[in-house]
Amino acid sequence: VRLQSMQVSAYDLAVIGGGVIGLACAWRLAQDGAAVAVIDPAPGQGASYAAAGMLAPVTEIHSGEEAVLRLGLEAAERYPAFVAELEQSSGSAVGYRACGTLTVALDAGDSAVLDDVADLQRRLGLRVQALTGREGRRLEPLLAPGIRSAALVEGDHQVDGRCLTAALQVAAERAGAVVVRRSAAAVTTRADRVTGVRLDDGTELATGAVVLAAGARCGDLDGVPGEALPPVRPVKGQVLRLRVPPAYRPFLSRTVRGTVRGFPVYLVPREDGELVVGATQEEQGYDETVTAGAVYQLLRDAHALVPALTELPLVESTARLRPGSPDNAPVVGPTALDGLVAATGHHRNGILLADVTARAVAALVRDGVLPPEMAPFAAHRFQTRAMTEGALR
Ligand code: GLY
């Protein structure tokens, strides 16, 4: 132990967290020529592992979150180029599917919700096409006959989050990044500046800066003053994976989502026959258990929209934690601790926002400033508040 604690490796940057955000940051930073270490005991096994991979800024819209919408639209537009570059660099496909999204409503209440969302989307100049239930069923014949209305968003696509994360790891490693399969125990500092990361085995990595991309677990790190920790909380999502046998394909041709008696549910069909059904949104701390109630609710509601679903093999149930921030928007950029950069808070949009975030972090390291599109999501928007509150106490 004593020997290990004296080992020191030096990198320009350490990225804590090897999910989609951390790996994307590592890739872009390594492309810029930095010596990068990604620290994660199990890369790609956190929230990215559960993600359905919807690239859906328009259908994921929430009123009052227009800034996230703009960032998401920009990210969605750049996605095909990002995918092309990543597939080329990694040599593996990431399952990008430009399939569009159909939102459906089951009863009058669900239909009213759908109308309200469509109104908001149109007010913001977004492209959405209102359909009758019959028109929706023409697009997706396996929809329940009782579907009341639907809305088609042709620009909301999908990618396979697991393939994406795996490809990012390969691309980052090929660009020179090193993946260290350990947990980060602490950030080390001297004179209020980051000097490195101490791992759970006592090893120290000396680094010029640390990118904190540990999702919902960003708060769980010694050595960082409270005001520099990004204010993220775990938002649990339970999600199911079913398999569409070849004889039943395509089953669904695009993402189908809706509210069923007030509960949101989505079904994301992959080209390879995987069908992802999600997701719950629960706030109860660091709990990753799959519950019978959630599996029941997801299957009940998905079945209400697509009754044939009960014929499919259920192959997986997973629970992971999204990193939610106080305003549900990303938390990116310099923090109150010199040399500590946040890249978290992506909540329901981590897959979509991975590359815009990584480019912003790389630009910050290169030029010293966040690019304008990321400025509204700067981490210090919360620090100012925390410091003011601190001063008032
Ligand atoms: N973006 C879908 C989810 O977080 O469940």
Side-chain angles (χ1 to χ4, degrees):
V1 174
R2 181 168 278 268
L3 240 183
Q4 273 182 338
S5 69
M6 291 172 66
Q7 286 174 4
V8 176
S9 320
Y11 296 91
D12 296 324
L13 289 131
V15 179
I16 300 180
V20 71
I21 300 294
L23 290 168
C25 289
W27 181 38
R28 292 302 184 197
L29 291 164
Q31 280 182 324
D32 279 353
V36 183
V38 181
I39 303 167
D40 195 316
Q45 296 296 304
S48 312
Y49 188 72
M54 289 184 291
L55 306 170
V58 177
T59 41
E60 282 274 319
I61 192 168
H62 293 98
S63 73
E65 293 176 12
E66 209 180 316
V68 186
L69 167 74
R70 299 288 157 213
L71 186 67
L73 288 172
E74 190 170 330
E77 199 178 307
R78 285 196 209 163
Y79 227 86
F82 162 56
V83 163
E85 186 187 352
L86 179 58
E87 290 188 336
Q88 164 90 38
S89 300
S90 66
S92 56
V94 300
Y96 178 74
R97 200 172 180 193
C99 58
T101 297
L102 186 70
T103 308
V104 301
L106 200 58
D107 65 17
D110 303 327
S111 204
V113 172
L114 187 58
D115 288 346
D116 285 349
V117 174
D119 280 347
L120 173 66
Q121 289 163 334
R122 275 191 217 96
R123 270 205 309 281
L124 293 169
L126 305 171
R127 285 189 49 186
V128 49
Q129 194 184 338
L131 303 176
T132 62
R134 187 186 299 254
E135 288 166 334
R137 277 200 306 284
R138 216 170 286 143
L139 292 177
E140 294 295 346
L142 292 184
L143 281 173
I147 294 294
R148 213 176 159 104
S149 63
L152 181 65
V153 174
E154 291 194 73
D156 276 2
H157 304 316
Q158 58 149 306
V159 69
D160 185 322
R162 292 178 182 176
C163 295
L164 183 80
T165 310
L168 280 168
Q169 185 175 338
V170 172
E173 288 180 317
R174 284 188 178 174
V178 173
V179 175
V180 178
R181 289 175 176 264
R182 304 247 31 139
S183 294
V187 169
T188 56
T189 59
R190 191 181 317 120
D192 296 332
R193 216 210 120 73
V194 166
T195 55
V197 179
R198 187 163 56 251
L199 306 181
D200 57 355
D201 64 354
T203 309
E204 294 204 2
L205 306 186
T207 62
V210 168
V211 178
L212 190 48
R217 299 197 184 268
C218 279
D220 196 15
L221 197 62
D222 285 343
V224 180
E227 69 270 19
L229 284 173
V232 287
R233 66 185 196 285
V235 182
K236 181 178 176 181
Q238 301 194 50
V239 64
L240 308 175
R241 280 171 164 79
L242 291 81
R243 180 139 289 282
V244 181
Y248 287 28
R249 293 186 196 167
F251 199 77
L252 296 175
S253 302
R254 52 181 66 67
T255 299
V256 170
R257 55 191 301 164
T259 49
V260 180
R261 289 174 280 276
F263 289 98
V265 66
Y266 53 75
L267 298 89
V268 183
R270 306 248 192 263
E271 210 85 68
D272 68 0
E274 182 177 81
L275 180 67
V276 185
V277 175
T280 65
Q281 193 159 306
E282 306 157 70
E283 308 226 6
Q284 50 200 31
Y286 293 90
D287 165 32
E288 290 190 348
T289 47
V290 173
T291 61
V295 175
Y296 166 72
Q297 177 200 310
L298 290 170
L299 290 177
R300 178 195 66 195
D301 297 342
H303 169 259
L305 300 185
V306 182
L309 175 116
T310 47
E311 303 299 319
L312 305 180
L314 172 63
V315 293
E316 190 192 301
S317 56
T318 301
R320 290 292 188 274
L321 304 170
R322 306 176 184 89
S325 72
D327 57 8
N328 291 328
V331 182
V332 179
T335 66
L337 177 63
D338 213 7
L340 184 73
V341 175
T344 182
H346 294 81
H347 198 222
R348 298 175 60 97
N349 293 301
I351 302 286
L352 173 64
L353 300 179
D355 194 45
V356 278
T357 300
R359 284 170 179 276
V361 167
L364 173 71
V365 168
R366 213 172 36 234
D367 315 327
V369 281
L370 277 179
E373 74 263 20
M374 201 53 79
F377 310 105
H380 53 64
R381 73 187 185 280
F382 299 114
Q383 274 150 25
T384 316
R385 199 177 304 158
M387 279 144 112
T388 315
E389 281 165 12
L392 289 176
R393 264 202 298 273

